Amino acid sequence: KAIKHQITSPESAFAFLDSLEYISQYYTAFDNPDDEIWDKEEKIHLRVLNLLNVTTCYSLMMAAINHLERKELKTLLRELAVISFRYNVSNKNPNEAERVFSRVANDISNASITTARDAIMALKPLYESDKNFEQAFSTVVINTKRKKDLVKYILIKIENQIANKDYQPEDASATIEHILPENPGSIWDDLFPVDIQEDYIYRLGNYGLLEASVNKKLDSNKSFSEKLKVYKNSAYKLCNEYCNYDKFDPKTIALRQDRMAKIAKSIWKSAYLQSMI
């Protein structure tokens, strides 16, 4: 009905088809961050949106491509990645996000919003405060069997922050280490009784980064003290410094994840909305 109302002549029909053909190349590429249509910076932010499996912002991204300058799109994508990460980690309602994205997309299309900055300001309802985000991050569980790439991305970003490095999530040498193993041997039963192990294995506080050559030598029957000797020789601070505990139990995982959450709020941070919350 909307198309019939707005497309009322052959000329407008062909113009509409031309616009669909133009935007379709971008829409298809939203799911392929490595497409040559994107530049290096855009690829980074699109990978994050893909890891989060966020598609509700596609209408907004299409409006930006159609009506804003390309440099404005870069700014918007960067902020969308941050806003979406905070929103998803906080387990907020995706339907509400879609409503806000659609409203802002319409405002861009009708030219009531003409810059990325104004679009970002209009997305304020979706930006989780530091307090809420830190609290959510400190308890979040992400299963590496289903979202391994997302976990690695998060760990690499934290590692870069605490070690002042610039590792890339695609780095093959970095692997995810489950401190409490995915299939714990009986040596772990005292600190993690079998009936609670599942509650802690996929907590972010149970993860670290290790070199692939080191990680493959570890097994589920090694105690934490034995693992710690290996961790101290790793180049990754998430294992060689952020595991420096006398014992590793549920309380340690909680404390460790609290520490990571404080770092996370300074990593995934809006350049525009922070002062407004």
Side-chain angles (χ1 to χ4, degrees), residues 69-87:
E69 294 182 16
R70 190 63 178 257
K71 65 178 181 179
E72 296 284 278
L73 176 65
K74 291 190 210 310
T75 301
L76 184 58
L77 286 176
R78 190 265 173 195
E79 291 290 312
L80 281 174
V82 169
I83 292 169
S84 297
F85 185 86
R86 284 194 174 217
Y87 197 84

Side-chain angles (χ1 to χ4, degrees), residues 7 28 39 75 88 228:
I7 310 301
T28 303
D39 68 19
T75 301
N88 280 32
L228 190 57

Side-chain angles (χ1 to χ4, degrees), residues 91 225 259:
N91 199 29
S225 60
R259 191 178 180 187

Side-chain angles (χ1 to χ4, degrees), residues 39-276:
D39 68 19
K40 182 179 179 181
E41 185 180 344
E42 291 166 346
K43 288 177 179 179
I44 292 172
H45 307 319
L46 284 166
R47 286 192 188 105
V48 178
L49 294 175
N50 272 252
L51 287 173
L52 296 169
N53 196 28
V54 172
T55 60
T56 51
C57 58
Y58 282 6
S59 60
L60 173 56
M61 290 157 61
M62 286 191 292
I65 289 168
N66 276 328
H67 300 283
L68 302 181
E69 294 182 16
R70 190 63 178 257
K71 65 178 181 179
E72 296 284 278
L73 176 65
K74 291 190 210 310
T75 301
L76 184 58
L77 286 176
R78 190 265 173 195
E79 291 290 312
L80 281 174
V82 169
I83 292 169
S84 297
F85 185 86
R86 284 194 174 217
Y87 197 84
N88 280 32
V89 167
S90 302
N91 199 29
K92 305 292 283 189
N93 185 352
N95 293 331
E96 174 59 24
E98 186 170 25
R99 282 191 287 271
V100 175
F101 287 138
S102 296
R103 184 175 69 244
V104 178
N106 282 327
D107 288 343
I108 292 175
S109 297
N110 63 32
S112 59
I113 287 179
T114 58
T115 66
R117 183 184 185 281
D118 287 344
I120 294 159
M121 301 298 273
L123 295 174
K124 180 187 173 185
L126 303 181
Y127 188 70
E128 284 298 293
S129 68
D130 279 354
K131 180 181 178 181
N132 290 347
F133 175 62
E134 182 180 339
Q135 184 177 18
F137 195 98
S138 68
T139 59
V140 73
V141 176
I142 306 179
N143 192 318
T144 48
K145 291 180 179 178
R146 295 192 296 271
K147 297 183 177 181
K148 181 179 179 180
D149 289 342
L150 176 58
V151 172
K152 187 175 179 182
Y153 160 74
I154 293 171
L155 297 177
I156 289 288
K157 293 288 284 185
I158 293 175
E159 179 70 26
N160 286 342
Q161 183 79 355
I162 63 179
N164 194 27
K165 297 289 186 179
D166 190 28
Y167 298 122
Q168 299 304 312
E170 300 79 23
D171 184 0
S173 66
T175 59
I176 300 168
E177 159 67 353
H178 297 75
I179 302 168
L180 167 65
E182 282 193 280
N183 299 294
S186 58
I187 197 169
W188 290 89
D189 290 352
D190 287 343
L191 294 176
F192 292 92
V194 175
D195 61 328
I196 70 165
Q197 287 176 358
E198 194 70 24
D199 297 332
Y200 291 95
I201 290 171
Y202 300 111
R203 288 279 299 268
L204 282 179
N206 187 49
Y207 295 139
L209 288 173
L210 274 182
E211 295 80 358
S213 59
V214 176
N215 204 347
K216 67 182 180 182
K217 295 178 182 178
L218 297 177
D219 62 60
S220 59
N221 289 308
K222 285 190 180 295
S223 66
F224 175 67
S225 60
E226 291 176 300
K227 282 189 161 191
L228 190 57
K229 293 175 184 177
V230 176
Y231 294 165
K232 288 185 180 297
N233 293 318
S234 173
Y236 297 108
K237 286 183 177 289
L238 275 172
C239 272
N240 71 20
E241 288 187 16
Y242 276 60
C243 288
N244 194 20
Y245 300 98
D246 293 331
K247 65 178 180 178
F248 199 78
D249 58 11
K251 183 179 179 181
T252 309
I253 288 179
L255 289 171
R256 194 167 177 269
Q257 195 159 335
D258 284 345
R259 191 178 180 187
M260 294 165 76
K262 287 179 171 56
I263 297 165
K265 69 182 179 184
S266 66
I267 298 173
W268 291 279
K269 181 177 181 179
S270 170
Y272 296 87
L273 298 172
Q274 198 66 26
S275 62
M276 299 179 61

Side-chain angles (χ1 to χ4, degrees), residues 25-42:
Q25 61 184 325
Y26 290 96
Y27 186 86
T28 303
F30 287 161
D31 292 331
N32 181 18
D34 293 320
D35 193 293
E36 62 183 13
I37 204 169
W38 310 117
D39 68 19
K40 182 179 179 181
E41 185 180 344
E42 291 166 346

